Amino acid sequence: MKKKDVVIIGGGVIGTSIAYELTKRGKSVALVEKDTIGAHASSAAGGMLGAQVEFAEPGPLFDLSLRSRLMFPDLQKELYAASGIDIQLKTPGMLRVAFTEEEKSTLMKQAEWQTAMGLPATWLDTKEVRRMEPAVTDGIVGALFLTEDTQVSAPDLTKAFAVAAAKHGAAITENCEAIEFYRQGEQMTGIETTAGKLEADEYVIAGGAWSGKIMKQLGHSLPIFPVKGEAFSVLSIPHPIEKTIYSHGCYIVPKSGDRLLVGASVKDCGFDARLTIDGLQQLMAKAVRLLPVIKDCPLEKTWASLRPQTADGLPYFGRLSAYNNVSIAAGHFRNGILLSPITGQLIAQLLSGEATAEALEPFTDIRHSIPVSQ
Ligand code: GLY
């Protein structure tokens, strides 16, 4: 294959978003994915754009999440025009429920700092919640109503990024693994893959939970590790809820058609992505507690996948400190779908010599990269 501007390793929502943004800027891109596009966390995700619900305190990642959430309405139109795929952006908001006074007080604090920043976050008592969503259990003490936390279809978003990037000329190869990296000093000069050698001016690692393993192949250790999430879906017509209902350890997301998606466990099991009876049983019990009518819904599917977590909870974006021409975009943990538009934009800006719309300093590998002794 002819030398490219950029080779991307990883065909999840992050790799495909970067490919899309780069090709929009006229860059020639090759993307390799060891399985199929979106085969792992990107398609398993609930698709929540939970910028407010997922953060208990402000910080640089919260700011980035808000910026990314704002990008979705335009992205929906843009991706539909470029790929013909509707990412199914739905905007009825989210209810973060509390079952105890302690949870309520934590959520009230969250509401306080978020409203001080000008964001909508309203506390509703049980009656108000049930007026809005009558199927939610009366066993709660109330809920935080987050009107701006919305949702998309995660598999469709990933597919749309990939199809749009391919339409703009990206060469996407599935079932293709990077097996060897060639370097001269601080310059990566090529990669050997199971489908042949690839050369580019710039390389991007966007391998999700596998990014730490790829870093080891490059001779560096970055604390990126897998955290398993188990989930299931049921069928229900009509939907018993309009908004996403989110509680500690369980969320229920009403999807298009007759599906309700229920996620997700959070388990440290290494690279074992198998679904367990225990995980499913606990999640089902939490879902029934939250939305009692769900117990009579027919089960549609069950699944599990691996989220990419980092030691300090912040993802890695930007050029790797040990190289001139290798970047990373990995470790998005629970927020890969939400952060995919801004990640694609930032990495594409960086590799196109543009000023990045956000500062990358808090997210670079300098905080953790350790050479692996050979
Ligand atoms: N974004 C929710 C999860 O990872 O389960």
Side-chain angles (χ1 to χ4, degrees):
M1 197 185 278
K2 236 175 88 194
K3 188 173 178 185
K4 299 287 181 187
D5 292 324
V6 185
V7 166
I8 300 166
I9 301 161
V13 73
I14 300 299
T16 55
S17 169
I18 296 169
Y20 172 63
E21 285 290 336
L22 283 167
T23 53
K24 259 174 60 180
R25 287 165 172 77
K27 297 282 180 193
S28 61
V29 171
L31 181 151
V32 292
E33 161 53 47
K34 71 181 179 62
D35 296 304
T36 52
I37 293 297
H40 298 285
S42 305
S43 293
M48 291 181 295
L49 308 180
Q52 286 177 246
V53 82
E54 288 281 357
F55 291 90
E57 52 194 43
L61 190 57
F62 177 69
D63 296 343
L64 214 57
S65 299
L66 291 180
R67 294 291 200 106
S68 204
R69 190 180 64 181
L70 274 176
M71 293 169 77
F72 276 88
D74 284 346
L75 186 67
Q76 178 183 36
K77 294 185 202 112
E78 210 181 286
L79 285 177
Y80 187 70
S83 70
I85 297 169
D86 179 8
I87 64 170
Q88 296 169 51
L89 176 65
K90 293 189 199 306
T91 56
M94 200 175 284
L95 286 165
R96 169 63 170 100
V97 309
F99 277 100
T100 63
E101 288 299 326
E102 199 185 331
E103 272 187 84
K104 175 179 170 180
S105 111
T106 307
L107 292 177
M108 296 288 259
K109 280 192 199 109
Q110 198 165 330
E112 211 172 286
W113 65 260
Q114 292 187 354
T115 46
M117 289 175 79
L119 297 162
T122 315
W123 180 258
L124 305 177
D125 65 23
T126 310
K127 262 200 193 132
E128 289 168 313
V129 172
R130 282 171 53 84
R131 212 172 294 134
M132 209 175 252
E133 292 288 6
V136 170
T137 176
D138 60 5
I140 57 170
V141 296
L144 195 55
F145 183 32
L146 302 166
T147 50
E148 304 290 313
D149 272 356
T150 55
Q151 57 140 321
V152 292
S153 160
D156 286 312
L157 176 65
T158 312
K159 214 185 306 161
F161 275 135
V163 170
K167 286 226 167 111
H168 291 163
I172 296 178
T173 313
E174 298 183 310
N175 303 304
C176 175
E177 201 158 348
I179 42 183
E180 200 173 344
F181 296 85
Y182 303 110
R183 75 185 277 182
Q184 275 174 2
E186 294 183 348
Q187 195 76 3
M188 177 99 79
T189 54
I191 62 171
E192 199 62 54
T193 75
T194 46
K197 191 172 177 189
L198 288 174
E199 288 180 332
D201 294 330
E202 295 275 355
Y203 299 82
V204 181
I205 297 160
W210 287 264
S211 301
K213 285 191 172 183
I214 299 169
M215 283 298 295
K216 277 211 178 94
Q217 287 178 275
L218 292 176
H220 281 262
S221 164
L222 262 195
I224 302 174
F225 49 88
V227 175
K228 182 156 76 177
E230 292 153 299
F232 68 94
S233 56
V234 297
L235 303 176
S236 173
I237 295 182
H239 274 336
I241 48 171
E242 185 206 21
K243 296 164 188 51
T244 294
I245 313 295
Y246 191 121
S247 68
H248 181 68
C250 176
Y251 46 80
I252 306 177
V253 192
K255 290 291 174 188
S256 292
D258 53 358
R259 301 180 69 227
L260 289 176
L261 186 154
V262 183
S265 61
V266 180
K267 288 182 178 169
D268 184 0
C269 306
F271 284 91
D272 180 356
R274 289 173 299 183
L275 189 71
T276 64
I277 294 291
D278 178 51
L280 208 49
Q281 201 175 29
Q282 287 193 34
L283 192 59
M284 285 180 170
K286 284 178 187 167
V288 171
R289 181 182 183 214
L290 190 55
L291 195 68
V293 292
I294 212 170
K295 71 176 186 309
D296 297 319
C297 293
L299 188 64
E300 186 206 28
K301 277 200 302 188
T302 59
W303 64 91
S305 83
L306 302 174
R307 309 173 181 91
Q309 174 62 306
T310 63
D312 61 3
L314 290 181
Y316 292 100
F317 309 128
R319 281 218 169 77
L320 290 176
S321 45
Y323 287 87
N324 293 329
N325 67 339
V326 185
S327 300
I328 188 157
H332 295 66
F333 190 41
R334 296 175 64 94
N335 297 303
I337 300 301
L338 169 65
L339 289 165
S340 59
I342 196 94
T343 304
Q345 190 187 71
L346 289 173
I347 298 293
Q349 286 170 336
L350 178 74
L351 302 189
S352 305
E354 298 168 26
T356 55
E358 307 289 329
L360 295 181
E361 282 71 34
F363 307 106
T364 63
D365 74 315
I366 292 177
R367 65 193 203 269
H368 282 137
S369 185
I370 303 162
V372 175
S373 49
Q374 302 294 322

